[in-house]
Amino acid sequence: MNVRSRITLLFVLLAVVPVVVVGFLAYYTGRQSIEQVEINHLVSTNLMKSSELTRWIEAYQQRMEELAQRPLIAQYSAIVVASDPSDPAYDLARLSLEEDHLKPRIKPRGGFTEVSVISPDKGIIMASSDEMQEGKYYANQRFFAEGKLHTYTQGVFYSLPVQQTTMMVSTPINDKKEKLVAVLAGRLDLRDLSSIMSAQSGLSQSEKTYLVNKSNFFVTEPYSGEGYALKKTVRTEGVQAGLSGNDGVAFYNDYRNVPVIGAYKWLPEYNMCLITEVDQSEAYAPINSMAMTMLSIVSLLALIVLAAGFFLARTITQPLARLVAGAAEIGRHGHLDRKVGTEDKDEIGELSRAFDRMAMELKMTTVSIDELERRIHERTAQLEAANRELEAFSYSVSHDLRAPLRAIDGYTRILLEDYQQLLDDEGKRICSVISEGAHKMSDLIDDLLTFSRLGRSALNPSNIDMEAMAGAVFQELTTAQSRKRIDFQVDSLPPAVGDPALLRQVWVNLLSNSVKFSQKKKRAVIRVRGEKSENETVYSVQDNGVGFDMQYVDKLFGVFQRLHSVKDFEGNGVGLALVQRVILRHGGRAWAEGETGKGATFYFTLPHQGMI
């Protein structure tokens, strides 16, 4: 193989092989990351859905218990169970039970679809919100047997008396002596259960969550079909693992025979398995798209490099050798006067002559270390002078702007005090608006000066007890009366090193925002946390206030940027901009997360530093 071929091959290898290796590693790492993210999301979704299911059932258990504990329920139930149907007291008690206590529990959508009182000995419905169910027999049902002892929820099953899929909650009705009088049972609307399971997180279009019972029947409808519940079976790998009493994640084909990533969770209290799945095609779509793009780039690069190497190899061998020899001499001895230019008329010759010109220009522009230091001192002095001029300009602007504002405010007060009898109510109101606007303008000027000086003032770092500082700031911002409605929680916060005055202002701005934006809550909750990571400490302030729409999160830290009306919440829109500037000067980061009506969390970080 001649030199030209070897150079061409070398060009190809050096250009393509690293790209292929890096691309493969990127693809493999990206795929692993995507899998881990999807697994974490699916497991989290299962935990969230199981918690929502438990809360849903516990809420209706509590409602049944509260209803069963009513004295009139026990009194009327005892009469209905013990009396003969021909007895007038029987009809009166049954009518009171149904009209005053059972039927009011039924809603058009969601909740209980039927509430019944069942005799404890025969298991017969004595009174019901649905009169068609009276006289039905439930003695052989698990919820009836358990309901005589304690509050119980029977998982989804097919009920022959009502001829539909149902889920029952039962609880005992006891008299004052804790003697069993009857069993109170409620049939739940499974549309609520389907709504809980079908609600998607929005992160994936193919994500689906559904329940499967011990007989492998769908309990709730999957997102891709209707009429599945208790009519179609599913026997995928994830379902079989979940029904075996295990929790985990697997890669398999779902009920559509489509490859998915699935998380399964066994719910022993309801004898059901919770499944959350996402299509592998959607999960891996970003990394597969990247792989195809990289493959195209590598192919194109290989062709380009092959062609370039072939043509370059013919022209660079000898001229390049001469150029290297001359350049090596300059490099060894540092003689910038040495000429390495050749007489060749091609690019290599031009490169050699350009090298000579570069050496000459380098010699002309080279300065000594003393000259560089002198220039640095000159630039530093110029910068300090510019800062002093900026400070003087800020002071002058502040003074010149405040003078007319004070005049406006003064003349407005004169009108209100000396010419009050000549002004009608509208005139007085306009004067008040002018005065209020002047004060707001003055506050804006103060905030702008504070924001401007913050970028120029020197830091005075020291050791800071962040937990004590946050608590002290909260006490200063609130009164004893206002603290009665605020649940203020401060975790054990790691200490920090920074400027105490500036970091105190950070706490003031963040905590005052939490207090202000949660003031309309009957019970405000504000929680302050801190956690160390590898290179920094993350602090956060969380509240349950009005929150904000995440699509506008980029505006939060801008000067005079507000997401809420001044009529609803006062402020100038400078506080969060000050927070971000202080944290950036300390080498940290600041960001926020929130949801409209559900509160917000503001985070900031400080880098790890040795204690002073």
Side-chain angles (χ1 to χ4, degrees):
M1 183 181 294
N2 57 29
V3 175
R4 182 184 305 171
S5 300
R6 282 182 287 177
I7 292 177
T8 302
L9 180 60
L10 181 62
F11 267 97
V12 174
L13 292 177
L14 291 178
V16 176
V17 172
V19 175
V20 172
V21 173
V22 172
F24 175 79
L25 293 177
Y27 175 81
Y28 179 80
T29 304
R31 187 181 177 92
Q32 294 293 107
S33 299
I34 286 176
E35 288 180 357
Q36 190 59 51
V37 168
E38 288 293 343
I39 288 172
N40 292 340
H41 172 67
L42 295 175
V43 172
S44 299
T45 300
N46 273 358
L47 292 174
M48 180 187 68
K49 294 291 186 181
S50 63
S51 298
E52 291 179 359
L53 174 61
T54 300
R55 287 195 299 270
W56 180 70
I57 291 175
E58 288 176 350
Y60 286 106
Q61 286 180 338
Q62 183 178 359
R63 294 182 186 180
M64 290 295 289
E65 290 174 351
E66 291 173 353
L67 183 61
Q69 292 169 5
R70 293 186 176 184
L72 289 178
I73 289 287
Q75 178 182 339
Y76 292 147
S77 297
I79 295 174
V80 169
V81 171
S83 301
D84 187 88
S86 61
D87 189 344
Y90 172 88
D91 287 335
L92 181 61
R94 181 180 59 79
L95 184 62
S96 297
L97 270 176
E98 294 175 348
E99 298 298 329
D100 298 337
H101 300 282
L102 302 184
K103 289 183 179 180
R105 296 294 172 272
I106 308 304
K107 297 181 180 179
R109 171 73 184 185
F112 292 109
T113 59
E114 177 198 352
V115 181
S116 305
V117 174
I118 306 174
S119 62
D121 51 351
K122 299 180 181 179
I124 297 176
I125 294 180
M126 306 303 296
S128 174
S129 60
D130 183 359
E131 296 178 359
M132 299 297 295
Q133 299 302 317
E134 292 181 8
K136 295 293 180 65
Y137 182 76
Y138 281 105
N140 59 343
Q141 292 295 337
R142 177 75 177 273
F143 74 85
F144 170 74
E146 295 289 340
K148 293 192 291 184
L149 304 175
H150 53 83
T151 302
Y152 176 76
T153 299
Q154 182 170 344
V156 179
F157 66 100
Y158 188 83
S159 174
L160 290 177
V162 296
Q163 296 185 353
Q164 68 180 34
T165 306
T166 187
M167 191 172 188
M168 300 295 293
V169 178
S170 59
T171 191
I173 301 176
N174 298 322
D175 59 16
K176 295 181 179 179
K177 297 181 179 180
E178 295 301 314
K179 181 180 178 181
L180 180 65
V181 173
V183 175
L184 183 65
R187 175 156 44 93
L188 293 174
D189 190 345
L190 293 185
R191 289 177 295 182
D192 286 351
L193 182 58
S194 294
S195 298
I196 293 174
M197 294 298 114
S198 62
Q200 292 181 293
S201 65
L203 300 178
S204 173
Q205 294 183 350
S206 64
E207 178 184 322
K208 51 190 175 292
T209 303
Y210 53 90
L211 291 169
V212 181
N213 64 15
K214 289 288 289 185
S215 300
N216 288 93
F217 280 94
F218 284 98
V219 173
T220 58
E221 302 285 358
Y223 87 105
S224 60
E226 295 180 358
Y228 282 61
L230 292 181
K231 293 182 180 179
K232 293 187 177 182
T233 60
V234 54
R235 302 181 183 277
T236 62
E237 178 183 344
V239 169
Q240 296 301 101
L243 294 179
S244 299
N246 300 315
D247 296 347
V249 179
F251 298 77
Y252 55 89
N253 290 351
D254 67 356
Y255 59 92
R256 303 166 300 162
N257 202 31
V258 173
V260 297
I261 305 174
Y264 48 88
K265 181 175 179 60
W266 173 241
L267 306 177
E269 59 273 36
Y270 310 119
N271 282 328
M272 293 187 295
C273 175
L274 180 63
I275 304 292
T276 300
E277 300 167 338
V278 65
D279 291 355
Q280 292 184 23
S281 60
E282 183 180 10
Y284 295 135
I287 196 66
N288 289 337
S289 176
M290 185 193 78
M292 293 301 298
T293 302
M294 291 185 62
L295 182 61
S296 301
I297 292 174
V298 170
S299 300
L300 180 61
L301 179 63
L303 292 175
I304 294 174
V305 171
L306 182 62
F310 177 79
F311 289 104
L312 289 175
R314 295 188 305 172
T315 58
I316 67 175
T317 307
Q318 292 181 352
L320 187 59
R322 293 195 299 270
L323 177 62
V324 170
E329 183 177 349
I330 292 177
R332 283 195 300 269
H333 303 289
H335 296 158
L336 296 177
D337 293 328
R338 173 70 166 84
K339 304 296 183 181
V340 298
T342 66
E343 298 300 327
D344 296 329
K345 304 301 182 182
D346 58 10
E347 290 82 357
I348 298 299
E350 181 61 30
L351 177 62
S352 66
R353 291 186 288 275
F355 189 87
D356 289 342
R357 291 193 296 270
M358 180 187 69
M360 184 59 64
E361 291 174 359
L362 180 62
K363 180 179 180 181
M364 294 174 61
T365 57
T366 300
V367 296
S368 64
I369 296 178
D370 293 338
E371 177 67 15
L372 290 176
E373 291 180 351
R374 184 185 65 80
R375 293 182 182 180
I376 291 173
H377 287 308
E378 288 179 356
R379 297 295 186 271
T380 303
Q382 293 171 1
L383 182 59
E384 291 176 350
N387 283 335
R388 288 194 296 270
E389 291 175 0
L390 181 59
E391 184 70 26
F393 175 75
S394 299
Y395 176 79
S396 176
V397 169
S398 171
H399 183 271
D400 292 343
L401 286 177
R402 282 196 176 92
L405 287 176
R406 286 195 295 267
I408 293 172
D409 186 44
Y411 283 122
T412 304
R413 286 201 303 270
I414 292 173
L415 286 174
L416 289 174
E417 294 174 359
D418 298 345
Y419 298 93
Q420 185 175 11
Q421 67 278 8
L422 300 179
L423 297 174
D424 57 9
D425 291 341
E426 178 63 15
K428 295 174 184 178
R429 186 190 68 80
I430 292 174
C431 289
S432 298
V433 171
I434 294 172
S435 179
E436 182 180 352
H439 285 292
K440 287 184 177 179
M441 185 63 183
S442 179
D443 291 340
L444 289 175
I445 292 172
D446 291 337
D447 289 339
L448 279 175
L449 288 175
T450 300
F451 186 78
S452 176
R453 294 192 185 103
L454 190 61
R456 301 191 300 273
S457 60
L459 294 179
N460 298 306
S462 63
N463 298 330
I464 302 175
D465 185 341
M466 297 292 271
E467 185 175 346
M469 180 177 285
V473 168
F474 177 75
Q475 293 294 321
E476 294 174 4
L477 293 174
T478 57
T479 63
Q481 182 65 26
S482 64
R483 285 194 289 272
K484 292 181 180 179
R485 53 167 291 278
I486 300 176
D487 182 7
F488 183 64
Q489 307 170 13
V490 181
D491 292 356
S492 180
L493 302 183
V497 174
D499 189 302
L502 296 182
L503 291 181
R504 182 180 184 83
Q505 188 63 43
V506 169
W507 287 117
V508 169
N509 291 349
L510 293 182
L511 290 175
S512 62
N513 275 359
S514 291
V515 172
K516 176 171 63 177
F517 290 111
S518 61
Q519 62 186 358
K520 295 184 180 180
K521 289 288 186 177
K522 184 177 181 180
R523 186 65 181 173
V525 178
I526 301 175
R527 185 169 185 181
V528 180
R529 304 178 183 176
E531 182 179 354
K532 280 191 173 184
S533 62
E534 183 178 355
N535 299 316
E536 61 186 6
T537 302
V538 182
Y539 300 94
S540 65
V541 178
Q542 181 182 19
D543 63 68
N544 65 336
V546 297
F548 61 88
D549 192 335
M550 283 296 290
Q551 66 176 319
Y552 304 116
V553 68
D554 294 337
K555 296 184 177 181
L556 279 178
F557 295 96
V559 180
F560 300 139
Q561 295 289 337
R562 295 178 53 86
L563 300 186
H564 301 282
S565 172
V566 178
K567 296 179 180 179
D568 297 329
F569 301 98
E570 62 181 8
N572 294 328
V574 180
L576 291 179
L578 289 173
V579 168
Q580 187 177 57
R581 176 161 285 195
V582 169
I583 296 305
L584 288 177
R585 291 206 61 198
H586 283 78
R589 302 174 290 120
W591 71 96
E593 297 174 356
E595 184 175 352
T596 303
K598 296 186 179 180
T601 305
F602 287 85
Y603 302 87
F604 67 90
T605 67
L606 293 175
H608 290 170
Q609 301 180 21
M611 300 302 287
I612 297 176

